[in-house]
Every structure is written in C-alpha cells, then in structure tokens.
C-alpha cells in the first residue's frame, strides 16, 4: 500500500506529529506554508524532515520496547520459569531474543502489518475497521467474528495500559537496590510517588514536555548500546548467539522448560503493537528508519552485553542490566531509566485514551468527557474518568504484586493474544482488500501465527501466577463494549418502531397544520430516515413547530477521517424541514459548532440566538422479555445513566437546549 497520508493521531502521544510524508502539518516539524514554497531540503519527503520525524518517533513509539532490557533477560533466568544461566543457556536465550526482535518486530510488524494502514492510521481497531470495509450493499459473512477479534484485542490494550507503567517504573527504581540494600524498603513508595505524579500531569497535556522525549530516548538508546559494547569487548564469544542454531539447541536441551522460557522472551517485543498503532503520527517510513538505524542495533547490543556479563559472572542474573554499569554511573543510570520508563508509560496511557475515543465513535462505549490538551493537535486528548481508573489499577498492581519480577508473570499474555489477533485481521485485509492469492498470504500468515501461538502457549503457563489479571480486565472491558453496542441497537430498534416517516408526519397535518413559531429548531436523531421522537413529543405537548426544522443525524464511519468536503450533507425538504447528515471518522470528535459552520457554507441560513436544540432523553424500563440477559440489561441501564450528556459531548450551547424525556421498554 502507499505511503500513509496526513491524518490525526491514533495514540495521542506526546509531541505528536500529524502523519507521515506528505502531511500538511507536523507537531514537532513545521511544514512549509502554502505561500512560501519550501526548498528541496525541507520538503515533505526531504531527508531533514524524515530525520526529524524519526527523532520524534523515538520519543513516542519506542518507549515500551526500549525499556524491556530493564527486566527481560533477567526474567529469563530468575523468573517463574527461569533457567540456570549456564553458557549454553545464555547463548540459547540470547538467540531467541535476537530472532524474536527480527521475526516479530522487523519482519511481521514493520515490513508486513504496517502496510495495512486505514487511510494512514494503524492500530487494532483501525485494522478491524479496514478488514470490515465493503462497498455499499455488500455484507461481510465474517463480520461478527472480525468485530469480536478486534474488540477483544482493543480490550487487551487496557491491560498493557495498566501493567506497563507499573512494571517499567518499578524496574527502573529497583536499580537503587542494586547500588545499596538501604533503598530496598523505599522502592515501592518511590515508584508510587512517580506514578502518581505521572497520572496527575495528564490533565496538563504532554505537548510541553514532549519536545524533549525524542532526544531523551535517543540518549537512552545510545546508553543501551554503550553499556552493551563495554561488556561485549570483554567477551566477544557471545556473538555466537546470533546463530539461530543456538536457539534450536536450547529447546532440545531444555525441552518443556525451555519452551516456557518463551513466556519471558516475549517481554523483549512487548512494544511491537505500538509501532503499528502509532503509524498515524509519523508514517511508516520514519518509524522504520528509527528502528533499523538506532533502536534495533541498540537493543541487540545491550542484550548481547548482558549475556556477555552472564558468561563471566552467572550471579549477575539477579539484575544484569544495572550490573552492566560501573559503580559511578549507577545513580545516573537509574535516573535515566526512570525517565525512559515514564516515557514508555506515557505512550500506553495516551494510547488508552485514544482507543477509548475510537470505541466511542464506533459505538462501543458510552460518551465520556474528552479534554483536548492542545489547540494545534486534535489527537492530544485527556479523559479524566479513564485516567483515574488507570491510576487506581496501576496502584493496585504495584501494591498487589510488589516487584517487577512478580509483575512480569502478569505481563505477556495480553501482548501475545493481541499479536495473534493482529495476524488474523491482517490476513483478511491481505486476501480481501489487497487481493493477495491464498497461496501467498496463507504461508506467510501461518509462519507469523505459529510464532504467536508459541508465545501464547508459553505465556498461558503464567496465568495462575498473574497472567489472569490482563485477561480478566480484557473480558470485563469486552463485556462493557459489547453490552453497550447491543443495548444501543435494541434501543434504536425500539425508537425506530415507534417513529413515523417524515412523509407520513407531514401528510398527517392535512388542512390543519400546527402553529409555526419564529426561529429554527434542530432535532438530533440517530435515524436519518424517520422522525425524531423529540419532535413528536414537542408536537404532542406544545402543539407548535418552528418556521425552520432541522433533522440532524451524526453518522460514525469506519474510517479514521472524513474528507472535509464530504463532512456534511444538507437536504432541503417541504414545509420548512431540512435534513442534515454529518459524518465523522473514528479518529474525530463530532462538534455541533463545526457542523453548523459547514451548514452555513452550504446555504442553510439561521441565527444561533434564535435556534433551539431539542434532544431526547430516554428512561429505560426493564421488561420480562428483555432483548439481552437481565444482568446485561441492568449493566446497560447503569452505563446509560452515567454516560456524558449529549449537550456537553457535542459541544451544544447549553442555554439553547431543550430536553424531552420518554420511557422506553428494552
């Protein structure tokens, strides 16, 4: 597929950039204005611009995978299913780590999966929407399966959003106990303070501090490389681990125990999904360049350095990363590690915000408060309710598990499940969107799926030791999303059945039309064909109609962004009625002021101070034969009561709103 075009931000990121080459703007890199043509060295595809995008990508995309050296190799030898750090085992584990980075990250995600961009956007919900897209009128037989896979994959992201901050910050602060045991009792309190501050600053937005994220992560990766090389020169024999034969020999020698070690090896690729999800920020090119030119070499050198240290001192397995550093550099390394951990956490937190916004737009989540933290970048958002929930979850994990080693047992199962779902959805896209023959697509997907299943199988053994947590969290969130979607479908069906077509309504006036009053009334309705219930209630009780009646329907599309010229359709009808249909992508926030502005541009005339907005508010009544199970009906009712009001969500002027209530039996 082609180069991703200018789109909004999938994971709101910090110093976010609007897209890849060809973008009209970029947060960290100023695009040339239309009035002053850019020089060739500063054009959208120039080396300078690409380099700046790659630098920015380091600060947003690679935080998670970049902090894995803090704990990944350690868990292979000291974790729940760790093996003895003999020379053969060290070389075997290093071989598995290096080839996991190559196969999973370099080949699967960067070469294949990142080609599946939904108009420039990546991520599992964007991939799900892309897999389901069909020409109008054509149905997708596998649509329910694709929706289930995509939603469950999205639900698993919240597990990462809770575990990553906890394990990353804990691992960094635990470096203090390597320097001296005196700090050991203070590791958890210090970690909790850092995490509390991290979540508190979310309301301020990340644009201010985002400018330093790229350079800081560049320093982090260079430090990883230097630490690895320092030890590598003392024991270059560790380079033999680059041969995949050592990985195969490791499985032969260790059998089932060796297979379970994959549950720790997966920790080195936990940020792989983020590369795809953040594609909308920068485009595929800068992300790939940053990986192959700096991130991959630095990670490999650091893991090899840790392995070389273990070959000389097997007892270093207790914390090989921090033991790589000379004693004088330990405290600065802890500080730098903590900063990198905060950056990694920020990416997952903002990713959870963006995923939730997508779910709201696609109809799988009730309306929540969305605060835009940047006037320039629409993708930089903050969800207060979700932020508080994530903070509670992170604190509970830190207190409940108590160490990064115990948390590592909970880490991995969500990642491997998401990786497998991505493989299946990408196969559907390759077959049905790209037209790739089964003889080509199936073998490639099978190789990736075999790797995914191997990692999943190894991580399944960790479920009793903590792997149950992200799965339980994902099941709960999946249940909430599907319940909301199903409940809204049932409610819409009930309202549609009780509605009249506009033609029948106008025909019922006959020779005695209702009294018309000056001004414009805007009725919001989810059914673009029928008459809004609020309009019928207004006629029934007030017995008047405004001179101009606008029936407004907002339709979410399964694409990230709708072209500005196709955003709003205005259809004048008889007797002063006008039907307006506004379309928004799942990366956009519907806005009534924006819709009204576009309506004026299309010739719809009205005075805002003479306009009233009529909204329906439904009171849900349980029935003996509900459309859902009784507990799901109760859950949907609770979610409806706690959803944010349409007035605030759509940014309707509150002093112009009239709400008309009705009771609906589910």
């Amino acid at each position: 597929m082609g180069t991703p075009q200018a789109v909004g931000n999938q994971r709101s990121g910090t110093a976010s950039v609007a897209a890849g080459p060809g973008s009209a703007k970029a947060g960290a890199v100023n695009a040339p204005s239309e009035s002053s043509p850019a020089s060739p060295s500063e054009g959208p595809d120039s080396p300078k611009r690409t380099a700046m995008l790659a630098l920015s990508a380091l600060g947003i995309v690679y935080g998670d995978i970049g902090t894995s050296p803090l704990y990944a190799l350690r868990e292979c030898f000291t974790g729940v299913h760790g093996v003895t750090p003999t020379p053969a085992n060290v070389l075997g584990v290093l071989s598995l780590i290096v080839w996991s980075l190559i196969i999973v990250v370099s080949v699967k995600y960067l070469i294949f999966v990142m080609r599946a961009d939904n108009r420039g956007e990546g991520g599992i919900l964007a991939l799900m929407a892309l897999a389901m897209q069909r020409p109008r009128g054509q149905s997708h037989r596998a649509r329910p399966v694709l929706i289930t896979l995509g939603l469950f994959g999205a639900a698993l992201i919240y597990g990462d959003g809770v575990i990553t901050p906890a394990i990353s910050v804990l691992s960094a602060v635990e470096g203090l106990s390597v320097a001296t045991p005196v700090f050991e009792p203070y590791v958890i309190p210090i970690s909790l303070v850092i995490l509390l501050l991290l979540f508190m600053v979310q309301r301020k937005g990340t644009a201010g501090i985002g400018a330093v994220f790229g350079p800081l992560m560049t320093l982090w990766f260079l430090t990883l490389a230097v630490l690895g090389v320092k030890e590598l020169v003392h024991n270059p024999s560790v380079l033999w681990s680059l041969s995949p034969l050592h990985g195969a020999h490791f499985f032969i020698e260790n059998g089932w125990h060796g297979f379970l070690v994959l549950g720790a090896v997966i920790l080195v690729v936990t940020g792989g999904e983020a590369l795809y999800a953040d594609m909308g920020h920068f485009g595929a090119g800068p992300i790939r360049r940053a990986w192959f030119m700096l991130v991959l070499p630095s990670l490999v050198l650091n893991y090899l350095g840790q392995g070389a240290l273990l070959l000389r001192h097997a007892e270093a397995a207790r914390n090989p990363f921090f033991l790589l550093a000379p004693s004088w550099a330990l405290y600065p390394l802890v500080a730098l590690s903590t900063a990198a951990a905060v950056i990694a956490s920020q990416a997952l937190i903002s990713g959870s915000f963006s995923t939730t916004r997508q779910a709201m737009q696609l109809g799988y989540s009730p309306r929540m408060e969305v605060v835009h933290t940047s006037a320039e970048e629409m993708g930089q958002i903050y969800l207060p309710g979700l932020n508080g929930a994530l903070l509670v979850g992170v604190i509970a994990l830190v207190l409940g598990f108590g160490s990064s080693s115990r948390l590592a047992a909970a880490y991995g199962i969500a990642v491997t499940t998401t990786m497998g779902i991505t493989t299946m959805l990408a196969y559907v896209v390759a077959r049905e969107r790209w037209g790739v023959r089964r003889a080509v697509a199936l073998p490639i997907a099978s190789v990736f799926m075999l790797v995914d299943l191997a990692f999943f199988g190894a991580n399944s053994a960790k479920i009793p030791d903590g792997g149950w947590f992200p799965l339980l969290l994902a099941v709960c969130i999946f249940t909430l999303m599907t319940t909301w979607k199903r409940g809204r479908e049932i409610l819409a069906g009930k309202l549609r059945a009780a509605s009249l077509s506009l033609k029948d309504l106008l025909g019922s006036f006959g020779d005695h039309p209702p009294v018309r009053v000056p001004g414009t009334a805007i009725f919001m309705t989810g059914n673009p064909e029928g008459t809004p219930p609020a309009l019928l209630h207004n006629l029934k009780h007030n017995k008047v109609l405004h001179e101009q009646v606008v029936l407004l329907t907002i339709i979410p599309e399964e694409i990230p962004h709708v072209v500005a010229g196709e955003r709003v359709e205005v259809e004048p009808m008889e007797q002063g009625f006008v039907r307006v249909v506004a379309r928004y992508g799942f990366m956009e926030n519907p806005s009534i002021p924006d819709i009204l502005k576009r309506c004026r541009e299309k010739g719809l005339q009205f005075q805002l101070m003479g306009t009233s907005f009529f909204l329906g508010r439904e009171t849900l009544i349980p029935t003996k034969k509900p459309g859902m199970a009784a507990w799901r009906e109760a859950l949907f009712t609770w979610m409806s009561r706690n959803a944010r009001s349409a007035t605030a969500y759509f940014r309707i002027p509150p002093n112009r709103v009239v709400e008309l209530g009705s009771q609906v039996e589910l």
Side-chain angles (χ1 to χ4, degrees), residues 475-476 478-484 622-623 626-639 666:
V475 168
C476 292
F478 177 81
T479 301
L480 290 173
M481 289 193 294
T482 53
T483 297
W484 179 257
T623 60
M628 299 184 289
W631 66 269
R632 292 187 73 190
E633 186 178 278
L635 178 61
F636 175 70
T637 302
W638 174 80
M639 294 172 72
L666 285 179

Side-chain angles (χ1 to χ4, degrees), residues 261-390:
V261 173
L262 286 176
V265 173
I266 188 63
L267 298 175
V268 307
V269 297
T270 50
E273 191 72 25
L275 310 182
Y276 177 50
D278 281 318
M279 183 170 58
H281 290 219
F282 314 100
I287 292 177
R288 288 175 178 142
R289 286 178 176 84
W291 172 257
F292 288 110
M293 294 177 66
L294 179 61
V295 179
L296 178 61
S298 299
L299 291 175
V300 170
L301 287 173
N302 190 264
Y303 286 124
L304 291 177
Q306 292 187 45
L309 177 64
L310 294 180
L311 291 178
R312 291 200 301 131
H313 303 290
E315 64 276 9
R318 64 188 179 92
N319 206 322
F321 176 80
F322 285 106
L323 291 174
L324 277 177
S327 57
W328 61 266
L330 194 53
Y331 289 110
L333 183 60
V334 170
L336 181 60
S337 301
T338 303
V342 168
I343 293 173
S345 304
Q346 177 62 55
L348 270 296
I349 294 169
S350 56
S352 299
F353 292 162
S354 186
T355 298
T356 303
R357 179 176 66 173
Q358 292 180 41
M360 284 190 286
Q361 292 300 91
L362 292 171
Y364 293 101
S365 171
R367 294 185 296 266
M368 300 174 65
E369 182 180 2
V370 178
V371 179
H372 290 262
T373 60
S374 171
E376 291 79 25
E377 295 296 336
M378 64 175 292
Q380 294 185 12
I381 58 175
Y382 164 65
L383 279 69
L386 180 60
N387 189 66
L390 290 175

Side-chain angles (χ1 to χ4, degrees), residues 46 75 102 118 120 173 264 333 419 606:
S46 69
E75 293 306 311
I102 293 173
N118 192 337
V173 178
L333 183 60
M419 285 166 47
F606 57 89

